[in-house]
Amino acid sequence: MRQGMKEKIIRICDSKIASKGSDVGLSFYAFFANKNDDPELLMEVAHWWIMEMKLDHFEKAEKVRNLVSAL
């Protein structure tokens, strides 16, 4: 996964956790605008989320942050 995307995922997870608590869940769509302006990057993250990590549609932000931090 691209370094910039890793940083964005961690930043968004931290923000969600800070505002909604440690039990907040999110999907990989949380890292993208409603407009599909970068389909290649979207598919890269979707592949990592679904195929590589075998995550459910919604996962705890803390879990996602820890997985991405370990990359």
Side-chain angles (χ1 to χ4, degrees):
M1 188 182 312
R2 301 173 200 182
Q3 184 61 33
M5 192 66 215
K6 289 186 218 177
E7 293 167 0
K8 182 177 183 179
I9 290 171
I10 292 168
R11 187 173 58 250
I12 289 171
C13 286
D14 286 343
S15 173
K16 295 278 189 188
I17 293 165
S19 68
K20 298 190 179 202
S22 61
D23 277 344
V24 67
L26 47 76
S27 77
F28 66 86
Y29 290 115
F31 313 119
F32 297 93
N34 287 338
K35 181 179 175 187
N36 189 5
D37 56 357
D38 192 344
E40 188 175 305
L41 185 57
L42 176 68
M43 291 307 294
E44 183 179 320
V45 174
H47 183 270
W48 175 81
W49 188 283
I50 297 165
M51 302 301 289
E52 291 180 34
M53 302 311 299
K54 310 239 187 284
L55 298 175
D56 290 333
H57 184 74
F58 282 94
E59 290 287 349
K60 301 286 185 201
E62 284 188 347
K63 178 180 180 178
V64 175
R65 181 186 60 195
N66 292 339
L67 289 171
V68 171
S69 295
L71 294 176

